[in-house]
Structures are given as structure tokens and as C-alpha cells.
Amino acid sequence: MSQNSVSVLLVEDEEAIREMVNFSLTRAGFSVTEAADASVAQSLIGQQLPDIVLLDWMLPGISGIDLARRWRQDGRTQHVPIIMLTARGEEEDKLRGFDIGVDDYITKPFSTQELIARMKAILRRHSKPDADTVLVARSLKLDTVGHRVSVDGDSLTLGPTEYRLLQFFMSHPERVFTRSQLLDQVWGDDVYIEERTVDVHIRRLRKLLEPYACAKFVQTVRGAGYRFSQQV
Ligand code: CA
């Protein structure tokens, strides 16, 4: 996911955990705001809705679970994705018993990699479909509503993967993506696919674009990955 600064509200009273999570998420491109207790969290969410909340269960004062319940009952915050951070054992069991509609929970100690993977899965589920748009690169047009690709009015028939690949590229032009980023973005990380699969679909996509002189937009960046660029 291009974390085009996905905003994260991290509510956790243990400073060491906050620092670790903040560091890893920031490095992964997320924009993190920290709160050490429920009242700070409440005030922050009152100012701005984050894209996702990481919420510790055991907080001084109002507990994370009570805060989650309160947010779920409030029309403004009810759809904000929440991942509960819980301690092993009792909290886990209790959480199953509560039906407050948190999106997921993760047991401490957790790896930040796993946390990020879960966050991405939830964000994907929550992400609204793209606005009705036609992506354009010179004569190449991709209509995300009609799922149509055309060049100067000639329509092209793309396989589903090539279509998603092209849509992703055209929505993120001039940026280099590694094979693994493309796998994550275009295929999703629910499936295990080898990185060379990306090359196969890139080749197919280029072949489809070749007769229209648009294959050159899909560029190989040596040692890095691929980029979609009109600067050819
Ligand atoms: Ca705690």
C-alpha cells in the first residue's frame, strides 16, 4: 500500500512499545500520532480522525476496551478501524467475549512486521473504491469505472492482473516500485507468489501496449524494480 501518509493513532501507555511501534511504522511510511492514555486519545481523535487506531487494552484510567466501545457508539468515530493491542492470556480470551466490533487484535509481544501486515489488510478492506476516474497517460486511457483501457479510442483487452497492474502504475506514475511492493499492492499479501511472477505480467502488459507504442511507459529500473513514466 502506498502509505501516502496513512495516519495512525497509537494509544499505548508503555513508552518502550510506543517508541518501537512508532519507529517501525514511521519507517514504513505511516504518519503516527501518539497518546499515552484515553483522555489524550479522545482529544486527538476529536481534532482529527485517523485512518486507523492501535489501541492498548490496559491503559491507566479509562481502558482501551471502554474507549473502543465509546468510539463505536459515536457516529463520527464508529467506522475508524481499530486494532487492539492485548497482553497474552486473559485479555485475549476476554476480547473474544466482547462484541464491540474492533477489527482485529494482536497479542504482545508482537513483531511490527506482523502488525503492519494486519494493518494493511484492514486498510484494504476499509478503503473506499477509487473515485470515478479516467487515468490518462498521453493517448493511453484507463477508465476505472468501466474497467476499460483504450488508446486513441481503440480498446485493449487486458487480463485481470495486467489491468490491476496498469491501474496501479497509472495511479502512481513516476515512482519506482520493487517487485515485492508490486506484489503487495497489486496481488495483495494474502497469497504467496514468487517475485518473478511480476516480471511475467509486466512482459504481458508491455506486449499488449506495444502495438500502440505505449509499452515504453512501463520501465525497468535496473536493480530496483519498475516505474510507469510518460517521460520516455
Ligand atoms: Ca498498557
Short mmCIF file of all heavy atoms in Angstrom, two decimals, residues 1-4 27-30 116 120 124 164-165 168-169 172 174-191 193-199 202 221 223-228:
data_model
loop_
_atom_site.label_atom_id
_atom_site.label_comp_id
_atom_site.label_asym_id
_atom_site.label_seq_id
_atom_site.Cartn_x
_atom_site.Cartn_y
_atom_site.Cartn_z
N MET A 1 0.86 -1.17 0.00
CA MET A 1 0.00 0.00 0.00
C MET A 1 0.90 1.22 0.00
O MET A 1 1.81 1.28 0.78
CB MET A 1 -0.78 -0.08 1.29
CG MET A 1 -1.85 0.89 1.46
SD MET A 1 -2.95 0.28 2.75
CE MET A 1 -3.21 -1.43 2.30
N SER A 2 0.63 2.16 -0.88
CA SER A 2 1.46 3.34 -0.73
C SER A 2 0.89 3.96 0.51
O SER A 2 -0.26 4.32 0.57
CB SER A 2 1.27 4.30 -1.89
OG SER A 2 -0.01 4.85 -1.85
N GLN A 3 1.69 4.05 1.56
CA GLN A 3 1.14 4.60 2.77
C GLN A 3 1.12 6.09 2.62
O GLN A 3 1.45 6.77 3.54
CB GLN A 3 2.00 4.23 3.98
CG GLN A 3 1.67 2.90 4.52
CD GLN A 3 2.64 1.86 4.04
OE1 GLN A 3 3.76 2.17 3.71
NE2 GLN A 3 2.22 0.65 3.99
N ASN A 4 0.81 6.59 1.48
CA ASN A 4 0.69 8.01 1.28
C ASN A 4 0.25 8.65 2.56
O ASN A 4 -0.81 9.22 2.68
CB ASN A 4 -0.33 8.27 0.18
CG ASN A 4 0.41 8.57 -1.08
OD1 ASN A 4 1.51 9.11 -1.00
ND2 ASN A 4 -0.17 8.22 -2.21
N ARG A 27 9.03 4.41 9.70
CA ARG A 27 9.97 3.95 8.67
C ARG A 27 9.22 3.33 7.50
O ARG A 27 9.67 3.39 6.36
CB ARG A 27 10.95 2.94 9.28
CG ARG A 27 12.20 2.79 8.46
CD ARG A 27 13.21 1.92 9.14
NE ARG A 27 12.63 0.67 9.58
CZ ARG A 27 13.32 -0.32 10.13
NH1 ARG A 27 14.61 -0.19 10.34
NH2 ARG A 27 12.73 -1.43 10.51
N ALA A 28 8.07 2.72 7.78
CA ALA A 28 7.27 2.11 6.71
C ALA A 28 6.40 3.14 5.99
O ALA A 28 5.62 2.79 5.11
CB ALA A 28 6.41 0.99 7.28
N GLY A 29 6.52 4.41 6.38
CA GLY A 29 5.81 5.46 5.65
C GLY A 29 4.50 5.93 6.28
O GLY A 29 3.82 6.76 5.72
N PHE A 30 4.14 5.36 7.43
CA PHE A 30 2.92 5.80 8.10
C PHE A 30 3.20 7.10 8.84
O PHE A 30 4.33 7.41 9.19
CB PHE A 30 2.45 4.76 9.11
CG PHE A 30 1.96 3.48 8.50
CD1 PHE A 30 2.82 2.42 8.30
CD2 PHE A 30 0.63 3.33 8.14
CE1 PHE A 30 2.38 1.22 7.73
CE2 PHE A 30 0.17 2.15 7.58
CZ PHE A 30 1.05 1.09 7.37
N ILE A 116 2.12 -4.51 10.84
CA ILE A 116 1.95 -3.76 9.59
C ILE A 116 1.13 -4.57 8.59
O ILE A 116 0.24 -4.04 7.93
CB ILE A 116 3.32 -3.34 9.01
CG1 ILE A 116 3.94 -2.25 9.91
CG2 ILE A 116 3.19 -2.83 7.59
CD1 ILE A 116 5.37 -1.90 9.59
N LYS A 120 -2.38 -3.35 7.05
CA LYS A 120 -2.62 -3.22 5.61
C LYS A 120 -3.86 -3.99 5.19
O LYS A 120 -4.65 -3.52 4.36
CB LYS A 120 -1.41 -3.74 4.83
CG LYS A 120 -0.23 -2.79 4.86
CD LYS A 120 0.89 -3.35 4.02
CE LYS A 120 2.06 -2.40 3.97
NZ LYS A 120 3.18 -2.98 3.22
N ARG A 124 -7.04 -2.18 3.57
CA ARG A 124 -7.55 -2.57 2.25
C ARG A 124 -9.05 -2.83 2.31
O ARG A 124 -9.79 -2.42 1.42
CB ARG A 124 -6.84 -3.83 1.76
CG ARG A 124 -5.88 -3.57 0.62
CD ARG A 124 -5.58 -4.82 -0.15
NE ARG A 124 -5.13 -5.89 0.72
CZ ARG A 124 -3.88 -6.04 1.13
NH1 ARG A 124 -2.96 -5.20 0.74
NH2 ARG A 124 -3.53 -7.02 1.91
N ARG A 164 -5.04 -4.62 -13.33
CA ARG A 164 -4.76 -4.07 -11.99
C ARG A 164 -3.37 -3.47 -11.92
O ARG A 164 -3.14 -2.43 -11.30
CB ARG A 164 -4.90 -5.17 -10.91
CG ARG A 164 -6.33 -5.54 -10.62
CD ARG A 164 -6.45 -6.20 -9.24
NE ARG A 164 -5.51 -7.31 -9.08
CZ ARG A 164 -5.76 -8.55 -9.46
NH1 ARG A 164 -6.91 -8.85 -10.03
NH2 ARG A 164 -4.87 -9.50 -9.28
N LEU A 165 -2.44 -4.14 -12.60
CA LEU A 165 -1.06 -3.64 -12.65
C LEU A 165 -1.03 -2.27 -13.33
O LEU A 165 -0.43 -1.32 -12.82
CB LEU A 165 -0.22 -4.66 -13.42
CG LEU A 165 1.29 -4.63 -13.37
CD1 LEU A 165 1.82 -4.64 -11.94
CD2 LEU A 165 1.86 -5.84 -14.13
N PHE A 168 -2.65 0.36 -11.18
CA PHE A 168 -1.77 0.77 -10.09
C PHE A 168 -0.67 1.71 -10.61
O PHE A 168 -0.42 2.77 -10.04
CB PHE A 168 -1.15 -0.44 -9.39
CG PHE A 168 -0.19 -0.05 -8.31
CD1 PHE A 168 -0.67 0.45 -7.10
CD2 PHE A 168 1.18 -0.13 -8.50
CE1 PHE A 168 0.20 0.86 -6.11
CE2 PHE A 168 2.06 0.28 -7.51
CZ PHE A 168 1.56 0.77 -6.31
N PHE A 169 -0.05 1.31 -11.71
CA PHE A 169 1.01 2.14 -12.28
C PHE A 169 0.50 3.53 -12.64
O PHE A 169 1.12 4.54 -12.33
CB PHE A 169 1.57 1.50 -13.55
CG PHE A 169 2.67 0.50 -13.30
CD1 PHE A 169 2.72 -0.67 -14.04
CD2 PHE A 169 3.67 0.75 -12.37
CE1 PHE A 169 3.75 -1.59 -13.83
CE2 PHE A 169 4.69 -0.17 -12.16
CZ PHE A 169 4.73 -1.33 -12.89
N HIS A 172 0.01 5.76 -9.83
CA HIS A 172 1.25 6.12 -9.10
C HIS A 172 2.39 6.33 -10.09
O HIS A 172 3.37 5.60 -10.06
CB HIS A 172 1.63 5.02 -8.11
CG HIS A 172 0.57 4.70 -7.11
ND1 HIS A 172 -0.48 3.84 -7.39
CD2 HIS A 172 0.37 5.14 -5.85
CE1 HIS A 172 -1.27 3.76 -6.33
NE2 HIS A 172 -0.79 4.53 -5.39
N GLU A 174 5.62 7.84 -12.17
CA GLU A 174 6.94 8.42 -11.85
C GLU A 174 7.52 7.92 -10.53
O GLU A 174 8.37 8.59 -9.95
CB GLU A 174 6.89 9.96 -11.82
CG GLU A 174 6.26 10.63 -13.04
CD GLU A 174 6.95 10.28 -14.35
OE1 GLU A 174 8.16 9.96 -14.32
OE2 GLU A 174 6.27 10.28 -15.39
N ARG A 175 7.04 6.79 -10.07
CA ARG A 175 7.61 6.25 -8.84
C ARG A 175 8.11 4.84 -9.09
O ARG A 175 7.48 4.07 -9.80
CB ARG A 175 6.56 6.21 -7.73
CG ARG A 175 6.40 7.55 -7.01
CD ARG A 175 5.29 7.48 -6.00
NE ARG A 175 5.52 6.45 -4.98
CZ ARG A 175 4.65 6.16 -4.04
NH1 ARG A 175 3.50 6.80 -3.98
NH2 ARG A 175 4.91 5.24 -3.14
N VAL A 176 9.25 4.53 -8.49
CA VAL A 176 9.81 3.19 -8.67
C VAL A 176 9.24 2.26 -7.61
O VAL A 176 9.20 2.60 -6.43
CB VAL A 176 11.35 3.22 -8.56
CG1 VAL A 176 11.92 1.82 -8.73
CG2 VAL A 176 11.93 4.17 -9.59
N PHE A 177 8.77 1.09 -8.06
CA PHE A 177 8.28 0.08 -7.12
C PHE A 177 9.09 -1.19 -7.27
O PHE A 177 9.37 -1.62 -8.39
CB PHE A 177 6.79 -0.22 -7.38
CG PHE A 177 5.91 0.96 -7.08
CD1 PHE A 177 5.51 1.81 -8.10
CD2 PHE A 177 5.50 1.23 -5.78
CE1 PHE A 177 4.71 2.91 -7.83
CE2 PHE A 177 4.69 2.33 -5.49
CZ PHE A 177 4.30 3.17 -6.52
N THR A 178 9.46 -1.77 -6.14
CA THR A 178 10.16 -3.06 -6.20
C THR A 178 9.12 -4.13 -6.53
O THR A 178 7.92 -3.92 -6.42
CB THR A 178 10.80 -3.41 -4.84
OG1 THR A 178 9.74 -3.56 -3.87
CG2 THR A 178 11.74 -2.31 -4.37
N ARG A 179 9.63 -5.30 -6.92
CA ARG A 179 8.72 -6.41 -7.22
C ARG A 179 7.87 -6.73 -6.00
O ARG A 179 6.69 -7.03 -6.11
CB ARG A 179 9.52 -7.63 -7.65
CG ARG A 179 10.12 -7.46 -9.02
CD ARG A 179 11.12 -8.56 -9.33
NE ARG A 179 11.65 -8.40 -10.68
CZ ARG A 179 12.59 -7.54 -11.02
NH1 ARG A 179 13.12 -6.73 -10.10
NH2 ARG A 179 13.01 -7.45 -12.26
N SER A 180 8.49 -6.68 -4.85
CA SER A 180 7.74 -7.05 -3.66
C SER A 180 6.67 -6.02 -3.34
O SER A 180 5.56 -6.36 -2.91
CB SER A 180 8.70 -7.35 -2.50
OG SER A 180 8.58 -6.43 -1.49
N GLN A 181 6.96 -4.76 -3.59
CA GLN A 181 5.91 -3.73 -3.40
C GLN A 181 4.76 -3.94 -4.38
O GLN A 181 3.60 -3.79 -4.02
CB GLN A 181 6.50 -2.33 -3.58
CG GLN A 181 7.33 -1.87 -2.39
CD GLN A 181 8.08 -0.57 -2.68
OE1 GLN A 181 8.52 -0.32 -3.80
NE2 GLN A 181 8.23 0.25 -1.66
N LEU A 182 5.11 -4.29 -5.61
CA LEU A 182 4.06 -4.52 -6.60
C LEU A 182 3.21 -5.73 -6.23
O LEU A 182 1.99 -5.70 -6.36
CB LEU A 182 4.67 -4.70 -8.00
CG LEU A 182 5.24 -3.42 -8.61
CD1 LEU A 182 6.02 -3.72 -9.89
CD2 LEU A 182 4.13 -2.41 -8.92
N LEU A 183 3.87 -6.77 -5.74
CA LEU A 183 3.12 -7.95 -5.29
C LEU A 183 2.13 -7.56 -4.21
O LEU A 183 0.97 -7.95 -4.22
CB LEU A 183 4.07 -9.02 -4.73
CG LEU A 183 4.74 -9.94 -5.74
CD1 LEU A 183 5.65 -10.91 -5.01
CD2 LEU A 183 3.70 -10.70 -6.56
N ASP A 184 2.63 -6.77 -3.29
CA ASP A 184 1.81 -6.35 -2.16
C ASP A 184 0.62 -5.50 -2.62
O ASP A 184 -0.50 -5.67 -2.15
CB ASP A 184 2.72 -5.55 -1.22
CG ASP A 184 2.09 -5.39 0.14
OD1 ASP A 184 1.31 -6.28 0.52
OD2 ASP A 184 2.38 -4.39 0.81
N GLN A 185 0.91 -4.60 -3.55
CA GLN A 185 -0.11 -3.65 -4.00
C GLN A 185 -1.11 -4.24 -4.97
O GLN A 185 -2.29 -3.93 -4.92
CB GLN A 185 0.56 -2.46 -4.70
CG GLN A 185 1.44 -1.63 -3.81
CD GLN A 185 0.64 -0.97 -2.73
OE1 GLN A 185 -0.50 -0.57 -2.93
NE2 GLN A 185 1.21 -0.88 -1.54
N VAL A 186 -0.61 -5.04 -5.87
CA VAL A 186 -1.45 -5.49 -6.98
C VAL A 186 -2.05 -6.87 -6.72
O VAL A 186 -3.19 -7.13 -7.04
CB VAL A 186 -0.64 -5.48 -8.30
CG1 VAL A 186 -1.47 -6.00 -9.46
CG2 VAL A 186 -0.14 -4.06 -8.60
N TRP A 187 -1.26 -7.71 -6.07
CA TRP A 187 -1.75 -9.08 -5.80
C TRP A 187 -2.34 -9.18 -4.39
O TRP A 187 -3.11 -10.05 -4.10
CB TRP A 187 -0.63 -10.10 -5.96
CG TRP A 187 -0.33 -10.49 -7.38
CD1 TRP A 187 -0.75 -11.62 -8.01
CD2 TRP A 187 0.46 -9.77 -8.34
NE1 TRP A 187 -0.28 -11.64 -9.30
CE2 TRP A 187 0.47 -10.53 -9.54
CE3 TRP A 187 1.16 -8.55 -8.32
CZ2 TRP A 187 1.14 -10.12 -10.68
CZ3 TRP A 187 1.83 -8.16 -9.47
CH2 TRP A 187 1.81 -8.93 -10.62
N GLY A 188 -1.88 -8.30 -3.50
CA GLY A 188 -2.28 -8.41 -2.10
C GLY A 188 -1.38 -9.40 -1.40
O GLY A 188 -0.78 -10.26 -2.05
N ASP A 189 -1.26 -9.28 -0.08
CA ASP A 189 -0.30 -10.17 0.57
C ASP A 189 -0.99 -11.38 1.21
O ASP A 189 -0.48 -11.99 2.12
CB ASP A 189 0.59 -9.43 1.56
CG ASP A 189 -0.21 -8.54 2.48
OD1 ASP A 189 -1.43 -8.74 2.59
OD2 ASP A 189 0.38 -7.64 3.08
N ASP A 190 -2.18 -11.70 0.71
CA ASP A 190 -2.85 -12.88 1.24
C ASP A 190 -2.35 -14.15 0.57
O ASP A 190 -2.55 -15.25 1.05
CB ASP A 190 -4.37 -12.79 1.01
CG ASP A 190 -4.93 -11.49 1.57
OD1 ASP A 190 -4.37 -11.00 2.57
OD2 ASP A 190 -5.90 -10.97 1.01
N VAL A 191 -1.70 -13.97 -0.55
CA VAL A 191 -1.24 -15.14 -1.29
C VAL A 191 0.28 -15.10 -1.42
O VAL A 191 0.90 -14.03 -1.42
CB VAL A 191 -1.83 -15.16 -2.72
CG1 VAL A 191 -3.25 -15.66 -2.68
CG2 VAL A 191 -1.76 -13.82 -3.38
N ILE A 193 3.26 -15.53 -3.74
CA ILE A 193 3.61 -15.59 -5.16
C ILE A 193 5.07 -15.19 -5.29
O ILE A 193 5.54 -14.29 -4.60
CB ILE A 193 2.73 -14.62 -5.99
CG1 ILE A 193 1.27 -15.06 -5.94
CG2 ILE A 193 3.18 -14.57 -7.43
CD1 ILE A 193 0.31 -14.10 -6.56
N GLU A 194 5.78 -15.87 -6.16
CA GLU A 194 7.19 -15.54 -6.34
C GLU A 194 7.34 -14.21 -7.08
O GLU A 194 6.50 -13.85 -7.90
CB GLU A 194 7.88 -16.63 -7.16
CG GLU A 194 8.06 -17.91 -6.38
CD GLU A 194 8.75 -18.96 -7.21
OE1 GLU A 194 9.89 -18.71 -7.64
OE2 GLU A 194 8.12 -20.00 -7.45
N GLU A 195 8.43 -13.54 -6.77
CA GLU A 195 8.62 -12.21 -7.35
C GLU A 195 8.73 -12.22 -8.87
O GLU A 195 8.36 -11.26 -9.52
CB GLU A 195 9.86 -11.54 -6.73
CG GLU A 195 9.64 -11.24 -5.25
CD GLU A 195 10.63 -10.24 -4.69
OE1 GLU A 195 11.60 -9.90 -5.40
OE2 GLU A 195 10.42 -9.80 -3.55
N ARG A 196 9.21 -13.34 -9.41
CA ARG A 196 9.36 -13.35 -10.87
C ARG A 196 8.01 -13.34 -11.57
O ARG A 196 7.92 -13.05 -12.76
CB ARG A 196 10.23 -14.52 -11.32
CG ARG A 196 9.60 -15.85 -11.05
CD ARG A 196 10.43 -16.98 -11.58
NE ARG A 196 9.76 -18.22 -11.20
CZ ARG A 196 10.34 -19.37 -11.03
NH1 ARG A 196 11.63 -19.49 -11.19
NH2 ARG A 196 9.64 -20.43 -10.70
N THR A 197 6.95 -13.67 -10.85
CA THR A 197 5.60 -13.57 -11.40
C THR A 197 5.33 -12.15 -11.88
O THR A 197 4.66 -11.93 -12.89
CB THR A 197 4.54 -13.94 -10.32
OG1 THR A 197 4.86 -15.21 -9.81
CG2 THR A 197 3.14 -13.95 -10.89
N VAL A 198 5.87 -11.20 -11.14
CA VAL A 198 5.71 -9.79 -11.52
C VAL A 198 6.28 -9.57 -12.91
O VAL A 198 5.65 -8.95 -13.77
CB VAL A 198 6.40 -8.85 -10.50
CG1 VAL A 198 6.33 -7.41 -10.96
CG2 VAL A 198 5.77 -9.01 -9.12
N ASP A 199 7.48 -10.12 -13.15
CA ASP A 199 8.13 -9.95 -14.46
C ASP A 199 7.27 -10.52 -15.58
O ASP A 199 7.17 -9.94 -16.66
CB ASP A 199 9.50 -10.63 -14.47
CG ASP A 199 10.39 -10.10 -13.35
OD1 ASP A 199 10.19 -8.94 -12.94
OD2 ASP A 199 11.27 -10.85 -12.87
N ILE A 202 4.46 -8.13 -16.21
CA ILE A 202 4.99 -6.91 -16.83
C ILE A 202 5.23 -7.16 -18.32
O ILE A 202 4.88 -6.33 -19.16
CB ILE A 202 6.33 -6.48 -16.16
CG1 ILE A 202 6.09 -6.03 -14.72
CG2 ILE A 202 7.06 -5.44 -17.00
CD1 ILE A 202 5.73 -4.57 -14.55
N VAL A 221 13.65 -0.41 -13.97
CA VAL A 221 14.70 0.38 -13.32
C VAL A 221 15.71 -0.63 -12.76
O VAL A 221 15.40 -1.35 -11.81
CB VAL A 221 14.12 1.27 -12.20
CG1 VAL A 221 15.21 2.09 -11.54
CG2 VAL A 221 13.03 2.18 -12.74
N GLY A 223 18.08 -2.96 -11.06
CA GLY A 223 18.43 -3.16 -9.65
C GLY A 223 17.39 -2.66 -8.67
O GLY A 223 17.59 -2.74 -7.46
N ALA A 224 16.29 -2.11 -9.19
CA ALA A 224 15.30 -1.56 -8.26
C ALA A 224 13.91 -2.15 -8.50
O ALA A 224 13.29 -2.70 -7.59
CB ALA A 224 15.25 -0.04 -8.39
N GLY A 225 13.43 -2.07 -9.73
CA GLY A 225 12.08 -2.57 -9.98
C GLY A 225 11.49 -1.95 -11.23
O GLY A 225 12.15 -1.91 -12.27
N TYR A 226 10.29 -1.44 -11.12
CA TYR A 226 9.60 -0.89 -12.27
C TYR A 226 8.99 0.47 -11.96
O TYR A 226 8.70 0.79 -10.82
CB TYR A 226 8.47 -1.84 -12.71
CG TYR A 226 8.98 -3.16 -13.21
CD1 TYR A 226 8.92 -4.29 -12.39
CD2 TYR A 226 9.51 -3.29 -14.48
CE1 TYR A 226 9.39 -5.52 -12.84
CE2 TYR A 226 9.97 -4.50 -14.95
CZ TYR A 226 9.91 -5.63 -14.12
OH TYR A 226 10.37 -6.82 -14.57
N ARG A 227 8.80 1.21 -13.04
CA ARG A 227 8.22 2.55 -12.90
C ARG A 227 7.33 2.80 -14.12
O ARG A 227 7.64 2.35 -15.22
CB ARG A 227 9.36 3.56 -12.88
CG ARG A 227 8.91 5.02 -13.03
CD ARG A 227 10.11 5.97 -12.99
NE ARG A 227 11.04 5.67 -14.06
CZ ARG A 227 12.36 5.88 -13.98
NH1 ARG A 227 12.93 6.38 -12.88
NH2 ARG A 227 13.15 5.58 -14.99
N PHE A 228 6.26 3.52 -13.89
CA PHE A 228 5.42 3.96 -15.00
C PHE A 228 5.72 5.43 -15.24
O PHE A 228 5.60 6.25 -14.33
CB PHE A 228 3.94 3.77 -14.67
CG PHE A 228 3.02 4.09 -15.81
CD1 PHE A 228 2.68 3.12 -16.75
CD2 PHE A 228 2.51 5.37 -15.97
CE1 PHE A 228 1.84 3.41 -17.81
CE2 PHE A 228 1.68 5.68 -17.05
CZ PHE A 228 1.34 4.70 -17.96
#
